[in-house]
Amino acid sequence: MRDYIISTTSTADLPENFKEEHDIVVNYLTFIQDGKEYKDDVNEGLSYTEFYDRVREGSLSQTSAVNIEDASVMFEKYAKQGIDVLHISFSSGLSSTYNNECIAAEDVMERYPDSNIVVIDSLCASMGQGLLVYYAVRMKEKGCSLEEVVKWVEDNKLHICHQVTVQDLNHLHRGGRVSKTVAVIGTIVSVKPVIYVNDEGKLIPFKNVRGRKKSLTVLVDDMIEKIEGYDNEIVYIGHGDCEEDAEFVKQQVIERTGITNVVIGYLGAVIGSHAGPGTVALFFLGKNR
């Protein structure tokens, strides 16, 4: 069995220690804030708090997909070494990153005919994408082949549930992720939108609740409806610089589901540019999205 690595894009928002411990290779998207371009990498760009403070002060961020050249460079590095690649990409419903990486992979495989680069459209975002990577890594470390891992990911990616509440929808509207009509809901005092990622990998508002605590509780309510029959060995919670709210959701998950392996992390700058400060997102395996 040929050796292979698992890679992903920075939009997976994986905890830094997990990436380091498991040698996860990352393709970084970029964003422009206050006229300067940054990598979506907290180790080289802005700290999480600095980024979100700027957004709160009115700074608008423009995000860019991974370009074909950068993806080619990364894939070629491993093709030269005779190492295959399983790349779990950002949802094609939210970015052109997946398409660009497919073009790059095809180009590299033409130049290195013995190489095998599999680019998967995760149809996931943020730590939902990260959850797919987590399970793929676990399988690889148990000795599963690239083909076995690819099959599991393809069979289960639409069972990665994304339950998200945002402070308002205007950030998503500015990034083209929801319509202006939908975004107006986000301006209504005390109404908190709850959204999810559908089977096409797009963000869909599906519920509006009154009050912040209620919106956080609803995330777990919906989780409980969906997890029956699924063994969640880990649950991820991402937040847009609102750790106390993320901790509240964590305690709800532990108390109401019995799942204790719950990991909290920041939403990175690219995801945060569209979701905004105050976003809390819950990611888990379930029967449907």
Side-chain angles (χ1 to χ4, degrees):
M1 184 173 71
R2 280 169 60 103
D3 191 17
Y4 68 98
I5 60 106
I6 293 176
S7 60
T8 191
T9 57
S10 57
T11 50
D13 292 337
L14 284 163
E16 293 300 311
N17 62 340
F18 182 84
K19 289 187 289 186
E20 292 169 5
E21 289 172 12
H22 301 279
D23 298 319
I24 307 300
V25 179
V26 179
N27 255 345
Y28 289 94
L29 281 74
T30 59
F31 66 99
I32 297 174
Q33 193 176 58
D34 298 331
K36 183 176 178 180
E37 184 176 70
Y38 300 91
K39 285 175 68 175
D40 186 24
D41 181 1
V42 71
N43 295 312
E44 294 187 22
L46 300 173
S47 69
Y48 294 122
T49 53
E50 185 176 4
F51 167 77
Y52 281 106
D53 282 346
R54 288 186 180 189
V55 175
R56 289 188 183 97
E57 291 165 3
S59 291
L60 300 178
S61 297
Q62 294 178 310
T63 61
S64 298
V66 167
N67 63 51
I68 296 170
E69 182 180 355
D70 287 348
S72 294
V73 169
M74 190 196 85
F75 293 148
E76 185 174 17
K77 174 183 176 181
Y78 295 97
K80 284 180 176 178
Q81 301 174 57
I83 298 173
D84 292 335
V85 177
L86 168 54
H87 183 77
I88 299 175
S89 188
F90 190 23
S91 172
S92 63
L94 296 172
S95 172
S96 62
T97 289
Y98 167 70
N99 289 329
N100 290 349
E101 289 173 332
C102 285
I103 293 169
E106 289 171 7
D107 173 63
V108 171
M109 285 190 289
E110 283 182 9
R111 291 185 282 115
Y112 297 86
D114 292 335
S115 64
N116 185 20
I117 303 168
V118 181
V119 181
I120 292 179
D121 182 359
S122 70
L123 297 174
C124 295
S126 189
M127 295 175 88
Q129 180 185 343
L131 202 54
L132 268 186
V133 176
Y134 170 88
Y135 283 111
V137 167
R138 293 277 290 166
M139 291 184 69
K140 179 179 185 292
E141 292 176 349
K142 290 177 181 178
C144 294
S145 68
L146 185 150
E147 292 75 20
E148 288 172 321
V149 179
V150 168
K151 185 179 187 310
W152 188 93
V153 171
E154 290 288 8
D155 288 347
N156 288 277
K157 65 186 184 182
L158 295 183
H159 293 291
I160 301 291
C161 301
H162 306 55
Q163 304 294 130
V164 187
T165 185
V166 296
Q167 288 285 34
D168 67 66
L169 289 165
N170 288 307
H171 294 284
L172 290 169
H173 169 62
R174 282 194 291 268
R177 269 56 183 184
V178 298
S179 70
K180 178 62 176 176
T181 301
V182 169
V184 168
I185 295 297
T187 66
I188 300 174
V189 176
S190 82
V191 172
K192 300 301 177 186
V194 180
I195 61 181
Y196 75 106
V197 173
N198 70 3
D199 287 353
E200 296 177 355
K202 297 179 180 180
L203 291 164
I204 305 295
F206 78 105
K207 190 178 296 185
N208 297 297
V209 298
R210 291 199 172 272
R212 176 65 165 177
K213 279 287 170 65
K214 177 62 176 175
S215 71
L216 299 174
T217 302
V218 162
L219 300 183
V220 186
D221 292 343
D222 292 337
M223 176 185 180
I224 290 171
E225 290 181 8
K226 295 178 178 180
I227 62 171
E228 185 177 356
Y230 281 81
D231 181 17
N232 279 272
E233 65 179 65
I234 189 169
V235 168
Y236 280 154
I237 299 173
H239 68 92
D241 202 31
C242 52
E243 193 165 2
E244 285 187 10
D245 289 338
E247 286 286 353
F248 173 81
V249 174
K250 177 178 178 177
Q251 290 307 312
Q252 289 271 308
V253 169
I254 293 171
E255 291 170 10
R256 299 175 64 189
T257 72
I259 299 168
T260 57
N261 189 13
V262 183
V263 175
I264 292 176
Y266 271 90
L267 303 176
V270 166
I271 298 297
S273 293
H274 299 289
T279 298
V280 177
L282 178 60
F283 307 96
F284 54 91
L285 278 169
K287 59 187 175 183
N288 58 57
R289 290 185 166 186

